[in-house]
Amino acid sequence: MTPTAFEMGLNSFGEIATDDGRALSDAETVRLLVEEAALADAAGLDVFSVGEHYRPGHMDTATPVLLSAMATATERIRLGTSVTVLSTNDPVRLYHAFSTLDAVSDGRAQLVLGRASVTESFALFGHDVSDYDRLFDEKLDLFMRLQREEEVTWSGTVRTPLAGQLLRPRMRKGGIPTWIGVGGSPNSTLRAARYGLPLMLAIIGGRPQRFAGHVDLFRRGLQQAGHPVQPIGQHSLGLVADTDEEAVETWWRYWEPVMTALSEERGFYRPSYERYLAEVADGALFVGSPATVAHKIARVARDLHLNRFDLKYDIMHLPRQARARTIELLGREVAPMVRELLTKEPADV
């Protein structure tokens, strides 16, 4: 891996921030996201991505609109999604949204496609969650054909057929960078390999190294399908502060109530401070000073043969000052340090 090959990015789920203890309004949070994309651009980060959620406190429901606003406020940084729920999107509409974004941003658009780890969008847009797999499979097939072919003739069971359809504005030849997001499903990993698409590992708990089997499966799947090597990325949560102590205490204050609510909703263990510290030390939380976070990212990058790491930096009610400091430190200190560490001891990608 060369130093310039490793990319560092940010992920946001549009979560409500606070300012001096006051929760920002929905509109203020939307505007803050545009400001943070500009801050990430100035800090030298490679990618800024926004999710797609339909839950209280999340302002990422109209991701292409947000990204287009960011395109006018930035110059260099690539703009994409940390997840686009393809199952409940129409591939034609999605193509139009992202071909337009790519034009507005002068070729900086990309996206990560996923099946959804939460299912609010299914009822919201009139889909049956029992069609979870069929919706994604058919829509992925159509979306990739729309990107890779000029005129598309297609039929399936999840939408009306197309006959010689040419969409405009056109994407660049071959389409935009399109990743498949994987939260642990081997079938999703193999699907990415079958289409020859990059793999984004969503690792939000436990030791990241437990995904090594997925990496091996992906690489073998690409080879068997006759596709060239594709990038592998990781999405994880965390915060960077000036000291380890500040980072650990700040993130715990806002992470704990979120995880407690999720534990009650999904039936897994309630967070404890001891478990939290274990996640910070060896798990999927990247929380600490720039040096601490950089060394942990470099270690995981070597173990999982990563080409990209995205930090999900916002969490409900985290102060905007802490968010901004994370962006600054990640771009100006962590990213250069990670690349230097990987230069000294490269990963086999």
Side-chain angles (χ1 to χ4, degrees):
M1 181 188 303
T2 63
T4 56
F6 194 83
E7 296 186 340
M8 293 282 292
L10 286 166
N11 283 338
S12 169
F13 288 177
E15 297 188 54
I16 293 287
T18 55
D19 190 0
D20 292 329
R22 178 185 70 86
L24 300 187
S25 69
D26 293 1
E28 287 174 319
T29 299
V30 168
R31 292 193 293 271
L32 176 62
L33 290 171
V34 178
E35 292 175 20
E36 289 175 339
L39 185 60
D41 191 32
L45 287 164
D46 299 296
V47 189
F48 193 97
S49 302
V50 182
E52 180 193 347
H53 297 83
Y54 303 91
R55 301 170 67 85
H58 294 255
M59 299 301 116
D60 59 346
T61 52
T63 309
V65 179
L66 258 175
L67 294 172
S68 290
M70 292 172 182
T72 66
T74 58
E75 297 179 359
R76 179 200 54 84
I77 196 167
R78 291 187 292 282
L79 301 165
T81 65
S82 51
V83 62
T84 291
V85 185
L86 181 59
S87 306
T88 55
N89 271 277
D90 179 70
V92 174
R93 176 64 67 192
L94 192 67
Y95 180 97
H96 284 141
F98 278 85
S99 65
T100 302
L101 172 63
D102 203 46
V104 169
S105 65
D106 193 19
R108 291 186 282 143
Q110 56 183 257
L111 72 167
V112 175
L113 302 175
R115 296 186 301 165
S117 60
V118 291
T119 58
E120 288 87 355
S121 64
F122 282 80
L124 186 62
F125 296 112
H127 296 285
D128 189 336
V129 74
S130 66
D131 293 330
Y132 188 79
D133 289 316
R134 180 166 61 93
L135 283 164
F136 189 82
D137 285 339
E138 288 196 19
K139 290 185 177 185
L140 179 61
D141 176 64
L142 175 54
F143 187 66
M144 295 313 302
R145 288 188 59 189
L146 290 170
Q147 290 205 70
R148 291 170 172 174
E149 301 174 16
E150 279 290 307
E151 295 185 3
V152 173
T153 297
W154 180 93
S155 63
T157 65
V158 298
R159 59 150 291 142
T160 53
L162 302 177
Q165 189 67 53
L166 175 66
L167 304 185
R168 293 192 180 278
R170 297 300 300 159
M171 284 184 182
R172 68 188 92 154
K173 186 174 177 59
I176 63 174
T178 302
W179 301 61
I180 297 295
V182 175
S185 165
N187 287 337
S188 295
T189 301
L190 287 172
R191 184 183 290 110
R194 186 168 69 251
Y195 279 92
L197 296 174
L199 183 72
M200 180 61 70
L201 302 169
I203 307 178
I204 60 172
R207 294 184 73 249
Q209 288 79 358
R210 66 194 172 91
F211 279 77
H214 288 271
V215 172
D216 182 61
L217 181 65
F218 177 61
R219 298 172 100 184
R220 287 189 286 113
L222 286 170
Q223 186 176 37
Q224 291 171 6
H227 294 303
V229 172
Q230 294 295 322
I232 300 170
Q234 177 178 333
H235 152 109
S236 290
L237 284 66
L239 177 143
V240 189
D242 293 289
T243 67
D244 288 336
E245 293 76 16
E246 179 188 357
V248 168
E249 292 306 313
T250 300
W251 191 255
W252 168 253
R253 191 176 311 132
Y254 298 95
W255 179 83
E256 186 274 333
V258 170
M259 295 306 294
T260 296
L262 283 175
S263 71
E264 294 169 355
E265 175 186 323
R266 302 190 186 185
F268 53 73
Y269 68 84
R270 290 174 61 90
S272 68
Y273 193 65
E274 292 70 25
R275 285 182 182 269
Y276 166 68
L277 292 180
E279 284 288 335
V280 171
D282 296 307
L285 290 180
F286 290 75
V287 175
S289 66
T292 295
V293 173
H295 279 83
K296 186 172 181 179
I297 292 173
R299 182 170 67 250
V300 173
R302 295 188 195 103
D303 292 341
L304 296 182
H305 311 287
L306 301 180
N307 305 89
R308 172 176 162 186
F309 181 91
D310 287 358
L311 185 73
K312 199 273 186 183
Y313 70 98
D314 62 349
I315 198 163
M316 199 66 67
H317 296 148
L318 182 68
R320 63 184 300 168
Q321 295 83 1
R323 292 163 56 136
R325 190 62 177 152
T326 289
I327 295 169
E328 288 275 5
L329 292 174
L330 190 72
R332 300 190 187 281
E333 297 190 28
V334 176
M337 202 178 308
V338 170
R339 294 181 183 118
E340 182 180 359
L341 289 166
L342 293 175
T343 302
K344 293 177 179 177
E345 189 179 340
D348 173 21
V349 298

